[in-house]
Amino acid sequence: MKPALLIILYVATVTLPLCVSWLLAGEPRSWHQELASGFGILAYSILLAEFVLSGRFKSIANTVGMDVTMRFHQLMARTALVLALLHPLLYLGTPAGGQRPWDPTRQLTVTTDFASLASGIGAYLLLAALVVLAMGRSQLDFRYETWRLMHGVGALLIAALLWHHTVSAGRYGSQPPLSWLWLAMTVAAAGLLVYVYVLVPLRSMSHRWRVSSVRQLTPRQWELTLKPEGHQGLDYKAGQFVWLNVGHSTFTLNENPFSICSAPAGGPEISFMIKELGDFTRTIGQTRPGTIAHVDGPYGSLAVEGRREPGIALIAGGVGIAPLLGILRQLRLAGDPRKVRIVYGNRREDQIAWQEELDAEDAIFVLSEPPEQWHGETGWIDGGVLDRHFGPEELKDWLFVLCGPAAMLSAVEDHLIARGVAGHRILTERFEYD
Ligand SMILES: Cc1cc2nc3c(=O)[nH]c(=O)nc-3n(C[C@H](O)[C@H](O)[C@H](O)COP(=O)(O)OP(=O)(O)OC[C@H]3O[C@@H](n4cnc5c(N)ncnc54)[C@H](O)[C@@H]3O)c2cc1C
């Protein structure tokens, strides 16, 4: 799907209840009351659309990329929070007291019915808590899986409370066509969770994988290889990632995103390069060959397939080399004659993975804590390093593919843009999904 079509679909979905309300409008009320209703309606439909922006739908995540999807998800959640806050404030000054028999369209009063107001207030407080928890998640001592469960259940509760508030208190929402529309949209949003957490795992049961090897690459990085069991494997593009579940039932929250570092042209086995970080990744070295695994994917748009640029720069920090290695391997296996230059940054020399394979390429190693005899680049991958290895020729028409820590990505991206590299020739992926 094209990004423009996705934007049109998003705007159409989010504004559909607003348009139907407008069509069904009775006597207009004062501007601030109409604005109050409009903000409430928009906040509700934006929240329902958040279920689609969870990053688990390939038609979105593979078109605009996971990073853009998740940034948009966060931006829209905050927008809905602001709209929901303004919604009651704009009603201030409107007489309250419930609906009068001579005022069927609620032109004169707003409701004071406790249940209708309580569901709205409850939804608002829950939404604020969800947004604040999501923003401060990394500082909180939650297991990621616990937070994820809370996020999903909280979102479902908010949708249910909003449905009650809208159809019982809303001037527009209480009209049957809109009550049905809201019900259909709310059920569809909940259905998306059912799809991700029930239907996809069900399908995955017949698509099992088995760990074929676990190999230590560096002191804290491992290569995990899976082979398909009784199926053809995964149809993916080099550079994409999957949700990986090793050793759990398919109905689990214990699945983590990892880029595939093998190449599609290399055969049906898929490999990952995994860095020890937290509770799952720290145990990866203990995984026994033969363990059952499940894979949901492929996702992501960090792929060079179909790109026609005459050269490709692969710039990685740490374990960010994983998807770039997949891309490099695919280019080599496919006999792609284009020039490839790799810039690979690490702290220490013993953290460099795949050194032999990369030594055979045009690779620049950058260390921020180099040993005494180090002849390569030192420090961080910054403007100076880039200027020494990419001249006007490369900057003019090469494709730049970046993956690594957020600070490195911003620095490299800013520098490339300052040097005139067009945005569409820079592909990036952060290893963060939040
Ligand atoms: C698109 C993408 C591709 C990635 N590719 C690689 C790769 O090739 N190699 C690699 O080593 N790492 C990769 N990561 C990072 C990897 O997913 C995390 O390091 C891993 O999930 C940490 O899990 P943990 O349980 O060991 O650590 P925890 O301590 O549980 O989590 C550490 C952090 O990792 C993230 N995280 C943890 N669990 C999940 C989850 N289930 N879903 C999403 N994020 C989670 C959260 O930000 C969390 O704060 C990638 C991440 C993303 C988003």
Side-chain angles (χ1 to χ4, degrees):
M1 224 190 286
K2 291 266 186 294
L5 183 58
L6 281 181
I7 295 171
I8 292 170
L9 276 177
Y10 180 83
V11 173
T13 311
V14 161
T15 53
L16 177 67
L18 201 62
C19 297
V20 177
S21 304
W22 181 68
L23 288 174
L24 296 176
E27 287 295 308
R29 298 168 297 175
S30 62
W31 66 269
H32 62 93
Q33 290 183 41
E34 293 299 352
L35 207 58
S37 293
F39 281 3
I41 291 169
L42 262 184
Y44 185 11
S45 51
I46 286 174
L47 281 167
L48 293 179
E50 290 289 272
F51 287 78
V52 194
L53 299 174
S54 64
R56 297 304 293 255
F57 296 95
K58 290 178 195 155
S59 46
I60 300 173
N62 296 2
T63 304
V64 294
M66 182 60 86
D67 285 352
V68 173
T69 310
M70 297 323 291
R71 295 291 82 76
F72 192 64
H73 177 92
Q74 292 164 355
L75 176 72
M76 294 321 285
R78 291 166 206 181
T79 307
L81 190 63
V82 173
L83 292 174
L85 175 69
L86 294 173
H87 166 68
L89 295 182
L90 283 164
Y91 278 126
L92 288 180
T94 310
Q99 197 170 356
R100 305 291 196 275
W102 59 87
D103 180 28
T105 58
R106 286 215 179 92
Q107 208 181 330
L108 303 175
T109 58
V110 287
T111 186
T112 51
D113 173 58
F114 177 75
S116 310
L117 291 180
S119 49
I121 294 168
Y124 183 75
L125 294 178
L126 253 178
L127 173 63
L130 222 61
V131 171
V132 170
L133 272 178
M135 288 166 74
R137 181 186 59 78
S138 51
Q139 278 89 56
L140 298 169
D141 197 17
F142 277 129
R143 275 196 75 218
Y144 187 85
E145 288 73 22
T146 313
W147 173 79
R148 199 166 150 200
L149 181 66
M150 280 167 41
H151 201 73
V153 172
L156 260 185
L157 257 175
I158 293 173
L161 288 169
L162 281 180
W163 181 79
H164 178 265
H165 175 68
T166 305
V167 303
S168 60
R171 179 198 200 197
Y172 297 101
S174 56
Q175 298 184 45
L178 268 156
S179 297
W180 283 109
L181 177 63
W182 282 123
L183 184 65
M185 286 177 68
T186 308
V187 169
L192 294 177
L193 283 187
V194 175
Y195 171 78
V196 172
Y197 292 105
V198 181
L199 297 184
V200 172
L202 269 177
R203 197 179 54 197
S204 184
M205 284 171 87
S206 59
H207 257 70
R208 300 199 313 179
W209 295 74
R210 227 173 249 283
V211 173
S212 55
S213 69
V214 184
R215 188 166 69 96
Q216 186 158 21
L217 296 169
T218 70
R220 289 183 52 218
Q221 297 179 109
W222 300 81
E223 182 195 40
L224 178 88
T225 303
L226 305 180
K227 62 169 183 273
E229 196 170 75
H231 57 92
Q232 300 297 313
L234 188 72
D235 183 13
Y236 68 101
K237 291 182 192 153
Q240 287 193 297
F241 73 94
V242 298
W243 292 82
L244 174 67
N245 153 3
V246 182
H248 295 278
S249 126
T250 53
F251 299 97
T252 181
L253 290 175
N254 289 297
E255 43 167 17
N256 302 56
F258 291 104
S259 300
I260 306 170
C261 70
S262 51
E269 289 204 338
I270 51 174
S271 301
F272 304 93
M273 172 179 173
I274 297 181
K275 181 182 173 180
E276 291 179 16
L277 183 72
D279 46 5
F280 167 62
T281 47
R282 268 192 222 125
T283 61
I284 202 75
Q286 292 146 33
T287 311
R288 287 173 183 279
T291 307
I292 293 290
H294 300 279
V295 155
D296 173 28
Y299 292 93
S301 60
L302 195 80
V304 304
E305 207 181 280
R307 301 290 302 223
R308 296 279 162 260
E309 284 83 357
I312 299 172
L314 303 174
I315 305 176
V319 74
I321 192 72
L324 307 194
L325 202 63
I327 292 173
L328 176 70
R329 288 170 168 170
Q330 178 66 15
L331 292 169
R332 293 298 174 245
L333 286 168
D336 194 308
R338 284 180 289 179
K339 280 193 190 158
V340 177
R341 187 162 305 150
I342 302 141
V343 181
Y344 178 23
N346 279 290
R347 249 178 341 110
R348 295 191 317 269
E349 193 175 12
D350 65 357
Q351 293 173 330
I352 300 176
W354 316 102
Q355 181 144 20
E356 225 171 280
E357 185 173 346
L358 293 173
D359 272 341
E361 301 286 337
D362 178 5
I364 297 113
F365 298 99
V366 187
L367 292 184
S368 58
E369 293 173 19
E372 272 185 19
Q373 303 303 321
W374 180 250
H375 299 297
E377 286 284 357
T378 58
W380 303 106
I381 302 179
D382 57 10
V385 171
L386 296 173
D387 283 345
R388 279 192 287 284
H389 298 281
F390 297 99
E393 275 302 298
E394 288 93 10
L395 294 169
K396 191 167 77 96
D397 48 19
W398 274 33
L399 176 66
F400 290 80
V401 190
L402 329 177
C403 187
M408 180 212 105
L409 291 186
S410 310
V412 172
E413 209 171 348
D414 289 351
H415 185 79
L416 291 175
I417 287 170
R419 287 281 180 269
V421 177
H424 68 87
R425 282 193 289 115
I426 306 176
L427 306 180
T428 62
E429 185 158 82
R430 292 183 327 140
F431 277 178
E432 273 166 44
Y433 168 84
D434 46 18

